[in-house]
């Protein structure tokens, strides 16, 4: 399958989300995530724009042109990531969210992606990373790498990011981790801190 075909196929997959899943996100998940974010927000890997539609006046980026075009048709502020570059200037955002995105990125590209995110995130800004549990990871053939909560914390530690809050959704449970495709863990980090700020 070529890149254009796979992009279309994944866009089609995203648009087939269930109504119950959308209701769960709009009424339960997104309000909780929003409380962990502040200021100008970038949704990296925004897909079909569900979070942006919920959190008005936020911006999004994605590598899938079909998704970007769809989001724009909904009146959302979304731009295409080309060659790994986020089309925004340095320190443009107070918060960045990666909601079920990290696991889609080939391991060889993760550092470049995080470098770009740190570039557009202001000093002391918040990075919120959400990854699926075991069942959710297995449910999507586009997933490239499985991350546990500790894996994400270790990865971001290499960027000087400090974990500030952890959220298990819909609730913390090893049973849910193994049996619910909706189960995810979200970790909010403070990023781009200088040495003095890290010690406080």
């Amino acid at each position: 399958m070529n890149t254009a075909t796979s992009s279309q196929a994944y866009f089609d997959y995203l648009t087939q989300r269930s109504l119950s899943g959308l209701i769960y996100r709009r009424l339960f998940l997104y309000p909780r995530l929003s409380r962990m974010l502040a200021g100008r927000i970038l949704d990296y890997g925004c897909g079909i724009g569900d979070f942006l539609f919920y959190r008005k006046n936020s911006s999004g980026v994605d590598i899938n042109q079909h998704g970007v075009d769809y989001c724009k048709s909904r009146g959302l502020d979304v731009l295409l990531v080309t060659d790994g570059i986020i089309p925004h200037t340095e320190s443009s955002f107070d918060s960045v969210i990666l909601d079920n995105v990290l696991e889609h990125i080939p391991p060889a590209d993760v550092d470049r992606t995080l470098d770009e995110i740190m570039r557009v995130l202001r000093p002391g800004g918040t990075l919120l990373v959400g990854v699926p549990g075991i069942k959710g990871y297995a449910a999507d053939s586009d997933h490239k790498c499985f991350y546990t909560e500790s894996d994400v914390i270790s990865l971001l530690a290499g960027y000087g990011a400090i974990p500030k809050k952890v959220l298990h959704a819909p609730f913390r449970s090893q049973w849910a981790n193994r049996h619910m495709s909706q189960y995810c863990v979200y970790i909010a980090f403070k990023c781009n801190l200088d040495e003095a700020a890290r010690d406080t």
Side-chain angles (χ1 to χ4, degrees), residues 98-184:
L98 282 82
D99 185 2
N100 283 257
V101 173
L102 186 62
E103 67 277 5
H104 289 272
I105 302 171
D109 297 334
V110 168
D111 285 339
R112 183 180 182 192
T113 300
L114 291 175
D115 284 340
E116 269 295 283
I117 288 169
M118 296 304 176
R119 180 183 66 79
V120 301
L121 186 60
R122 70 163 177 79
T126 297
L127 173 59
L128 178 57
V129 180
V131 291
I134 295 168
K135 176 73 171 180
Y137 180 82
D140 190 332
S141 62
D142 187 65
H143 288 163
K144 307 294 192 301
C145 186
F146 179 73
Y147 294 90
T148 64
E149 176 181 333
S150 60
D151 290 335
V152 176
I153 291 172
S154 294
L155 175 64
L156 270 295
Y159 290 84
I162 300 174
K164 292 295 185 179
K165 185 171 183 180
V166 177
L167 169 68
H168 296 258
F171 47 82
R172 186 180 191 121
S173 164
Q174 281 305 311
W175 181 92
N177 185 10
R178 294 189 301 270
H179 296 96
M180 291 181 64
S181 58
Q182 300 89 350
Y183 175 85
C184 295

Side-chain angles (χ1 to χ4, degrees), residues 6-197:
S6 61
S7 294
Q8 180 67 58
Y10 199 73
F11 169 74
D12 293 342
Y13 165 75
L14 291 178
T15 59
Q16 293 167 9
R17 69 203 184 304
S18 67
L19 178 60
S20 60
L22 180 61
I23 291 171
Y24 162 74
R25 289 192 295 276
R26 289 262 181 95
L27 298 183
F28 178 78
L29 180 62
Y30 291 163
R32 298 176 77 188
L33 298 184
S34 288
R35 289 193 289 271
M36 301 167 77
L37 302 166
R40 189 177 184 212
I41 299 169
L42 177 68
D43 184 355
Y44 184 97
C46 62
I48 55 176
D50 285 343
F51 179 77
L52 298 174
F53 195 79
Y54 171 83
R55 182 76 183 237
K56 305 296 186 183
N57 302 317
S58 297
S59 301
V61 293
D62 204 283
I63 64 169
N64 191 320
Q65 184 69 65
H66 302 288
V68 170
D69 292 342
Y70 177 79
C71 288
K72 288 183 175 179
S73 75
R74 300 176 77 189
L76 301 173
D77 176 21
V78 176
L79 297 174
L80 184 69
V81 173
T82 304
D83 296 326
I85 304 299
I86 298 173
H88 289 283
T89 57
E90 293 182 8
S91 303
S92 297
F93 296 95
D94 301 294
S95 302
V96 177
I97 179 172
L98 282 82
D99 185 2
N100 283 257
V101 173
L102 186 62
E103 67 277 5
H104 289 272
I105 302 171
D109 297 334
V110 168
D111 285 339
R112 183 180 182 192
T113 300
L114 291 175
D115 284 340
E116 269 295 283
I117 288 169
M118 296 304 176
R119 180 183 66 79
V120 301
L121 186 60
R122 70 163 177 79
T126 297
L127 173 59
L128 178 57
V129 180
V131 291
I134 295 168
K135 176 73 171 180
Y137 180 82
D140 190 332
S141 62
D142 187 65
H143 288 163
K144 307 294 192 301
C145 186
F146 179 73
Y147 294 90
T148 64
E149 176 181 333
S150 60
D151 290 335
V152 176
I153 291 172
S154 294
L155 175 64
L156 270 295
Y159 290 84
I162 300 174
K164 292 295 185 179
K165 185 171 183 180
V166 177
L167 169 68
H168 296 258
F171 47 82
R172 186 180 191 121
S173 164
Q174 281 305 311
W175 181 92
N177 185 10
R178 294 189 301 270
H179 296 96
M180 291 181 64
S181 58
Q182 300 89 350
Y183 175 85
C184 295
V185 59
Y186 292 88
I187 307 152
F189 296 88
K190 284 297 180 187
C191 301
N192 295 343
L193 301 170
D194 60 27
E195 293 301 325

